[in-house]
Amino acid sequence: MAASHSPAAGPLRPPFDRFGDATPASPVVLSVPHAGRDYPDALLAALRVPLVAATVLEDRYVDAVALLARERETMLVQRRARAWIDLNRSEQERDPAIDEGARAAAAPIASAKVRGGLGLIPRRIAGAGELWRRRFSASEVTARIAEDYRPYHAALADTLQAARARFGIAVLLDVHSMPNLGPGGPQIVLGDRFGRSADTRFVTVIERTVRAAAIPYARNTPYAGAQILDMHARGGVIHAIQIEFDRTLYLDPAGDLPGDGVRATARVLRAMIDAVEAEAMGARSLSHQIAAE
């Protein structure tokens, strides 16, 4: 199915692309929140480091994997760069070191991510140091939340509710990428907030597909998922799982562009989607059978 994008109407155009129907054709919904490569002029003007340093924050071209894997599923892909605003952080994870409005925010959260410089607006990157030449005004950050953060989450929530309404269940697969974790480390990490965001059966069927592909994997370590899973999972009816792919699986040796492994990685993701959908639809059939008895 061809991509169906929201209408481009100047500043009203949302900061993400929607692929697939507003009424999902599958109980599986895909989200790619960190692969954005749109760097607004205001961001470029405020950077104190070369742009290439900020691109380290990207889940570099994992959207290429998701686009190859996707068939009829509805999928959202954020265009804005993560350096501009991080969709996987709470609105309250505002960093007072760079955000003039942080102290005035309702119940700001001084999380470990904020203290490490990776709050709602990332402040620093290991190896590059501080990102910005100046602090951002409260109104600047509020505008990013209103124009770039909330539209994505609202669209994702609506899509998941529509899938649930149609199928009785919805499963969000939140697709990310990670740096190589070293010899012997996992190359795929599945996060379910330690069992809080999804029934174990969905993670279990994904694990089977990864084992079949002979790719080392882990569950919740070192990535258990974050705000997207916390915000969108609804016990028993909307399940949410984060999937992290090692970038060396699908990028070229320079780590810059999709490489020879992109199609093989997409096939693994496709197998995950199929396994989760089969599990979800089986559960739906069983619930209908029980209701009829």
Side-chain angles (χ1 to χ4, degrees):
M1 180 184 298
S4 60
H5 302 279
S6 299
L12 297 179
R13 185 186 183 198
F16 60 86
D17 292 318
R18 182 197 301 275
F19 298 85
D21 299 329
T23 300
S26 166
V28 178
V29 173
L30 303 174
S31 165
V32 186
H34 280 168
R37 295 179 290 278
D38 178 0
Y39 289 85
D41 289 343
L43 180 151
L44 298 176
L47 275 176
R48 62 176 295 180
V49 296
L51 177 59
V52 67
T55 65
V56 171
L57 288 166
E58 295 175 13
D59 285 345
R60 189 76 173 165
Y61 282 104
V62 80
D63 53 324
V65 174
L67 284 165
L68 284 170
R70 176 194 164 268
E71 292 178 357
R72 61 196 181 112
E73 297 78 27
T74 299
M75 177 169 72
L76 301 185
V77 179
Q78 178 77 346
R79 290 194 309 274
R80 289 283 191 271
R82 182 183 178 189
W84 181 249
I85 192 163
D86 191 336
L87 300 181
N88 210 17
R89 298 287 176 262
S90 164
E91 286 188 25
Q92 279 71 53
E93 288 183 276
R94 296 176 64 165
D95 188 339
I98 54 163
D99 179 352
E100 296 285 357
R103 300 188 188 282
I109 299 172
S111 67
K113 291 293 186 181
V114 172
R115 293 193 297 273
L118 292 174
L120 182 66
I121 309 296
R123 172 172 53 83
R124 71 183 315 277
I125 302 173
E130 298 293 321
L131 289 174
W132 310 112
R133 338 177 149 264
R134 64 178 180 85
R135 290 162 62 85
F136 299 108
S137 69
S139 62
E140 285 178 289
V141 177
T142 298
R144 294 187 199 184
I145 292 170
E147 296 169 9
D148 299 298
Y149 181 97
R150 290 180 180 170
Y152 189 94
H153 283 288
L156 186 55
D158 288 348
T159 303
L160 289 165
Q161 289 294 349
R164 179 197 171 189
R166 181 170 184 181
F167 299 101
I169 192 169
V171 185
L172 170 64
L173 298 184
D174 197 42
V175 182
H176 295 253
S177 72
M178 64 185 186
N180 182 268
L181 297 178
Q187 290 191 286
I188 292 177
V189 178
L190 308 174
D192 66 353
R193 304 297 282 157
F194 298 97
R196 296 194 302 273
S197 68
D199 282 357
T200 299
R201 59 195 172 94
F202 291 113
V203 184
T204 298
V205 297
I206 294 176
E207 287 177 331
R208 287 181 193 144
T209 69
V210 180
R211 285 198 296 271
I215 299 174
Y217 72 91
R219 186 189 294 197
N220 291 314
T221 303
Y223 307 109
Q227 179 67 12
I228 290 174
L229 271 55
D230 288 342
M231 182 180 292
H232 295 287
R234 297 289 182 272
V237 292
I238 299 178
H239 306 265
I241 301 164
Q242 179 174 287
I243 303 171
E244 297 267 3
F245 290 98
D246 181 339
R247 291 178 200 127
T248 64
L249 287 172
Y250 68 89
L251 290 179
D252 62 15
D256 186 42
L257 295 170
D260 293 341
V262 67
R263 292 190 179 278
T265 307
R267 286 194 292 271
V268 174
L269 177 55
R270 182 68 243 170
M272 294 179 183
I273 295 166
D274 289 340
V276 169
E277 179 171 352
E279 182 67 27
M281 296 301 284
R284 178 195 185 205
S285 299
L286 179 60
S287 67
H288 285 181
Q289 179 183 337
I290 293 171
E293 290 176 351

